[in-house]
Amino acid sequence: MSEILIIDDEPDIRLLIDAILRDEGYATRDAGNSDDAIAAFRERRPSLVVLDVWLQNSPMDGIEILRLMKAE
């Protein structure tokens, strides 16, 4: 089954994207900061990542997370 990882620091945005994708039949997981995002990615590789570029109060921004995911 295709799974999509949603990474955004705003809970309302995560919920909105999650609801839309679930209505279309996709399984989703979400993370609100870089630490949770990396842990979720390493736990189980998603088919797709929806990634916010600016993550407030997070050790890494979206570009840094993307680089790490690409390297792994």
Side-chain angles (χ1 to χ4, degrees):
M1 176 181 227
S2 297
E3 184 176 65
I4 300 171
L5 177 58
I6 303 162
I7 305 167
D8 197 298
D9 58 317
E10 296 185 45
D12 291 344
I13 300 294
R14 290 195 312 269
L15 288 172
L16 177 64
I17 295 170
D18 176 77
I20 292 167
L21 292 172
R22 285 184 182 270
D23 282 349
E24 295 299 322
Y26 293 98
T28 63
R29 292 184 293 149
D30 67 81
N33 62 52
S34 61
D35 292 338
D36 292 345
I38 293 165
F41 179 79
R42 288 177 174 161
E43 176 186 329
R44 191 171 60 250
R45 299 285 199 251
S47 300
L48 177 73
V49 176
V50 176
L51 178 58
D52 186 9
V53 175
W54 297 285
L55 297 171
Q56 296 202 6
N57 302 318
S58 190
M60 299 170 73
D61 66 18
I63 300 299
E64 292 170 306
I65 293 170
L66 180 61
R67 285 185 184 128
L68 184 140
M69 289 178 174
K70 188 176 176 184
E72 289 189 15

